[in-house]
Amino acid sequence: KAGVTQTPRYLIKTRGQQVTLSCSPISGHRSVSWYQQTPGQGLQFLFEYFSETQRNKGNFPGRFSGRQFSNSRSEMNVSTLELGDSALYLCASSLDTGDTQYFGPGTRLTVL
Amino acid sequence: EDKVVQSPLSLVVHEGDTVTLNCSYEVTNFRSLLWYKQEKKAPTFLFMLTSSGIEKKSGRLSSILDKKELFSILNITATQTGDSAVYLCAGVNQAGTALIFGKGTTLSVSS
């Protein structure tokens, strides 16, 4: 079974721009969660989607948003990028909320 | 506020050594604790622990949970250079809505 895939793998943007990241979960998984990983803060939860609905949201500003499609693929959008948004963005899929999450390889975002 | 604390933050050992990584947690309505290994890329799942005192084992790795004292340990015996990685533990609440991660323990195994 194919694992979680994320595109693009690397991205360089400048301050003020916006970016969209994509995540395709493991086949059959309906829950997709997004995390931000930085050296200082570690892994921090952004939000989780299940059946196209956001089930939970972490403590991130409204510039961070997401959505999920009917095929369970998910996108994350960050608007008005700031230098501090530079991070590895990981998505994880699971069968349902609370089940073991399997991570994708991440998207490395650099904001200049 | 829910939190997970791992110790030590980093560890350097020689091949063949046995290591113990610690994870303490404060998670509202605790449901489970997960261990992940992260090398250069995505965290890979190791163990899920839900019950106290029951050891989970996979090869040279084992883990146990103490729900009374709110901690878990991950043991690695006969370490190999391939064990070098960041080991993450995460707490999950009953709603299962989010993983609360610790900062991780960076393990370096030298040959």
Side-chain angles (χ1 to χ4, degrees):
Chain A
K1 194 182 264 191
V4 178
T5 58
Q6 291 186 245
T7 57
R9 294 293 311 282
Y10 302 92
L11 207 48
I12 299 175
K13 292 284 187 179
T14 56
R15 277 181 299 176
Q17 287 187 308
Q18 77 162 25
V19 67
T20 298
L21 312 181
S22 181
C23 171
S24 293
I26 292 171
S27 177
H29 286 194
R30 295 167 66 189
S31 171
V32 174
S33 297
W34 288 89
Y35 295 85
Q36 182 195 65
Q37 187 174 33
T38 58
Q41 298 297 320
L43 264 161
Q44 292 184 287
F45 173 73
L46 281 156
F47 30 65
E48 184 218 0
Y49 285 86
F50 181 87
S51 291
E52 302 179 66
T53 301
Q54 187 181 87
R55 271 193 170 172
N56 199 34
K57 191 175 189 305
N59 295 322
F60 278 81
R63 300 185 296 108
F64 292 82
S65 63
R67 60 177 176 168
Q68 187 180 34
F69 302 95
S70 58
N71 61 358
S72 294
R73 188 177 70 85
S74 177
E75 287 182 348
M76 190 191 95
N77 185 274
V78 188
S79 62
T80 319
L81 284 166
E82 301 176 0
L83 295 178
D85 296 333
S86 294
L88 179 66
Y89 289 88
L90 292 161
C91 96
S93 77
S94 60
L95 283 168
D96 199 345
T97 300
D99 290 331
T100 300
Q101 295 186 5
Y102 296 89
F103 285 81
T107 294
R108 173 74 63 186
L109 172 65
T110 302
V111 182
L112 303 175
Chain B
E1 185 182 331
D2 293 344
K3 65 178 179 180
V4 172
V5 178
Q6 293 185 246
S7 64
L9 289 180
S10 65
L11 197 52
V12 180
V13 301
H14 294 291
E15 261 191 323
D17 287 351
T18 293
V19 298
T20 298
L21 311 183
N22 303 294
C23 174
S24 65
Y25 64 90
E26 293 176 26
V27 175
T28 308
N29 298 322
F30 174 82
R31 170 175 172 165
S32 61
L33 188 131
L34 307 177
W35 283 96
Y36 287 86
K37 175 183 181 182
Q38 185 174 27
E39 295 171 90
K40 293 199 183 299
K41 302 176 185 175
T44 53
F45 172 76
L46 293 175
F47 298 111
M48 173 187 274
L49 304 158
T50 55
S51 302
S52 256
I54 298 175
E55 185 183 54
K56 291 277 184 93
K57 199 167 169 65
S58 176
R60 296 177 293 103
L61 277 66
S62 64
S63 184
I64 198 161
L65 178 69
D66 185 327
K67 290 171 78 171
K68 183 180 175 186
E69 301 297 331
L70 307 183
F71 78 90
S72 173
I73 59 172
L74 175 69
N75 280 320
I76 309 175
T77 59
T79 51
Q80 302 171 357
T81 54
D83 295 327
S84 296
V86 176
Y87 290 85
L88 298 161
C89 80
V92 186
N93 58 20
Q94 281 296 334
T97 49
L99 272 60
I100 302 109
F101 279 91
K103 294 286 178 70
T105 293
T106 301
L107 174 65
S108 300
V109 181
S110 60
S111 55

